[in-house]
Amino acid sequence: MIQCIGTLILAAIALKFLKYWLMVASTSAKNLEKNTADDESIDAFFNAFYHRISGGIWLWAVILCAQFLKLPITVSQNLYIALRIYLIIAVGLLILKAVAAIVDSLDALSIRYSNPDNLLRFYDRLRHLIPFLKRCLEFVIYVCMATLVIQQVQLIANIATFGPRIIKIIGIIFISRVLFEVVYLLIEEVLFKDQNLTDIQRSRRLTLVPLFRSFLQYLIYFGATVFILYALSIDPTPILAGAGIVGIAVGLGAQTLINDIVCGFFILFENYYLVGDYIEAGKVEEKVVEGIVEAIELRTTRVRHPNGQLQIIRNGDIGSITNYSKQYIFAVVEVGVPYDSNLTHVYKIIEEVGQQLKADNPDVLEGTQVDGVESLGESNLLLRTLTKVKPGKHLQIQRVLRKIFTNALLREGIVITVRAESVEG
């Protein structure tokens, strides 16, 4: 009994020393790299380390006490198994805390030392992978812990053979995701490295980027699936052969899908429109899809309406296309003036306003011209004006023209009505 009491006293004294030295180590670790964002992770690691070690010390003291009290050998054996399982779990949880602290420290240091002259300039664009890295590392550690714990129990020890396979699968998934992001980043770097690209060249490259992304995603994930099958000791050859036959059968019935993909290639190769173009195309619920092209993908085109809605239309449903972003476009504004107006004077005012707008606004390519009398209304004449502007700028210029036409003619005492439309050049 005295030996048991002495063992427990020694365990308590050891824990006191351990707590002190862990506090010293924690302070030193936080001072190693000041002004980083990892202090909380370091504190969490050392607190967890203390609690895990203290639990192990007390369990070891209990085992010694059982031996001193000469309890049955099976009790000691079971306690040793419990100790090993506890140490496996404790070390695993400590490694989790250590990994979190290390990743946070490396993240802070990478941000601090990144600059345009080294490879760390790409880090900010890959930083979103950090949470995914942490999750993968956590899963790996948990699987290792579970595998080692299962090995301690003879009845289920055979299940532990699945642990390495699961770790391989996690590694394949992580590598495939990182590979996809890195290759996509390199593609963007190569395509947009030249700072002297014209607007058309930039639009074409912006159009190709989503296609590269889709193709790359399918390719890498397909390869990852094959490697996962190999990791599970499954030969993918028969599966791929069967999938090919099934794919042919499905393809015969998926004519709409094939039509969308084929139309997508024609849109790209024949340069119907590019990312950034303002278009009208297709119909969704009998409404014309209108807006700026944000992405052209294998199956769909994404168009942002001027009101902000994102419209997604299948490439096979594009139909007739009106592209307002080719070379130039006319901003057409119709001005209604009273019958007794001096048309020569009105024409002069409109053209002077158009010339002034051309001088003030770089989006205006030529001054406003009066096309003539468009129609005769009940109480006014409808004059049609044309202003040549840059592609996709017609809506903005029409708004400006309506305002300045109104102000200019009202200053001359002419009461007007204004309508606007656009004509592609």
Side-chain angles (χ1 to χ4, degrees):
M1 181 61 69
I2 296 176
Q3 291 175 322
C4 293
I5 296 174
T7 300
L8 295 176
I9 292 173
L10 288 175
I13 294 172
L15 288 176
K16 291 290 184 181
F17 280 102
L18 176 66
K19 187 174 183 179
Y20 171 76
W21 288 111
L22 287 179
M23 290 177 61
V24 173
S26 176
T27 303
S28 300
K30 286 187 286 187
N31 292 333
L32 184 62
E33 279 290 348
K34 293 183 179 180
N35 299 321
T36 61
D38 59 350
D39 286 357
E40 292 183 1
S41 298
I42 292 174
D43 285 334
F45 169 75
F46 281 101
N47 287 332
F49 184 80
Y50 172 75
H51 288 100
R52 302 297 181 271
I53 295 299
S54 62
I57 290 175
W58 284 120
L59 188 55
W60 182 261
V62 170
I63 294 173
L64 290 178
C65 290
Q67 291 178 345
F68 293 147
L69 296 174
K70 297 181 180 181
L71 296 177
I73 190 66
T74 55
V75 175
S76 297
Q77 291 176 345
N78 291 330
L79 287 174
Y80 273 118
I81 293 174
L83 178 61
R84 289 198 296 268
I85 292 175
Y86 175 83
L87 291 177
I88 290 170
I89 296 174
V91 171
L93 294 176
L94 286 175
I95 292 175
L96 280 175
K97 297 293 185 181
V99 166
I102 292 171
V103 171
D104 289 341
S105 297
L106 293 177
D107 180 39
L109 291 174
S110 298
I111 294 173
R112 177 189 299 180
Y113 294 113
S114 63
N115 63 69
D117 299 327
N118 57 32
L119 289 176
L120 289 177
R121 67 182 183 274
F122 299 117
Y123 178 73
D124 189 56
R125 297 172 64 182
L126 297 174
R127 194 174 177 225
H128 64 279
L129 291 173
I130 292 296
F132 182 65
L133 170 63
K134 285 185 176 180
R135 287 196 299 270
C136 289
L137 291 175
E138 287 176 2
F139 288 142
V140 168
I141 293 170
Y142 283 131
V143 171
C144 290
M145 290 165 55
T147 301
L148 293 174
V149 168
I150 290 172
Q151 288 176 345
Q152 307 305 315
V153 183
Q154 296 297 324
L155 294 176
I156 57 174
N158 292 333
I159 303 177
T161 57
F162 290 99
R165 296 182 182 182
I166 296 174
I167 293 173
K168 287 182 182 179
I169 292 172
I170 296 172
I172 291 169
I173 293 173
F174 175 74
I175 292 173
S176 63
R177 174 72 184 280
V178 173
L179 182 63
F180 168 71
E181 296 291 344
V182 170
V183 175
Y184 179 66
L185 177 63
L186 293 177
I187 289 173
E188 282 192 327
E189 183 71 11
V190 171
L191 289 177
F192 297 102
K193 186 176 182 180
D194 188 359
Q195 300 295 325
N196 299 319
L197 295 174
T198 63
D199 291 340
I200 295 178
Q201 289 175 325
R202 183 171 293 276
S203 294
R204 287 176 177 170
R205 298 187 184 195
L206 285 172
T207 302
L208 292 175
V209 165
L211 289 176
F212 282 139
R213 183 181 180 90
S214 297
F215 178 76
L216 182 65
Q217 186 174 13
Y218 292 137
L219 180 63
I220 290 179
Y221 289 166
F222 175 78
T225 302
V226 173
F227 281 112
I228 288 173
L229 291 175
Y230 278 119
L232 295 174
S233 300
I234 299 174
D235 186 4
T237 305
I239 297 176
L240 295 176
I245 296 173
V246 173
I248 294 173
V250 172
L252 293 174
Q255 295 181 6
T256 302
L257 174 63
I258 296 173
N259 182 48
D260 293 339
I261 295 175
V262 171
C263 289
F265 281 113
F266 276 115
I267 289 169
L268 291 171
F269 292 145
E270 299 192 12
N271 198 24
Y272 293 154
Y273 52 82
L274 300 172
V275 170
D277 286 359
Y278 191 99
I279 67 169
E280 285 183 4
K283 287 188 177 181
V284 177
E285 297 180 354
E286 301 302 321
K287 294 181 180 179
V288 175
V289 175
E290 175 185 358
I292 297 173
V293 178
E294 287 196 349
I296 304 173
E297 299 174 343
L298 288 178
R299 290 189 56 250
T300 61
T301 294
R302 300 174 182 265
V303 180
R304 180 73 64 176
H305 192 274
N307 293 335
Q309 310 96 301
L310 179 62
Q311 305 163 106
I312 303 174
I313 182 171
R314 291 175 33 237
N315 292 330
D317 289 340
I318 288 294
S320 178
I321 301 168
T322 302
N323 193 330
Y324 293 92
S325 300
K326 295 294 184 183
Q327 299 177 346
Y328 65 89
I329 189 172
F330 283 114
V332 180
V333 177
E334 294 182 343
V335 181
V337 298
Y339 276 106
D340 59 356
S341 300
N342 183 341
L343 293 184
T344 302
H345 183 54
V346 172
Y347 285 13
K348 181 179 179 182
I349 293 173
I350 291 175
E351 290 174 356
E352 287 177 352
V353 167
Q355 289 297 331
Q356 184 62 43
L357 180 63
K358 177 180 181 297
D360 296 339
N361 195 322
D363 292 331
V364 179
L365 301 177
E366 293 182 4
T368 303
Q369 300 295 325
V370 180
D371 198 30
V373 178
E374 182 70 13
S375 64
L376 303 175
E378 294 182 0
S379 60
N380 59 15
L381 300 171
L382 197 62
L383 306 181
R384 188 170 187 265
T385 69
L386 300 176
T387 307
K388 184 184 287 189
V389 300
K390 290 182 180 180
K393 301 296 183 180
H394 58 288
L395 295 177
Q396 175 187 349
I397 300 302
Q398 282 172 179
R399 297 187 187 99
V400 175
L401 286 172
R402 284 195 291 267
K403 179 180 178 181
I404 61 178
F405 283 166
T406 301
N407 293 336
L409 293 174
L410 286 177
R411 282 197 301 268
E412 299 295 327
I414 302 171
V415 180
I416 67 169
T417 58
V418 180
R419 293 193 306 169
E421 61 183 36
S422 61
V423 177
E424 183 183 2

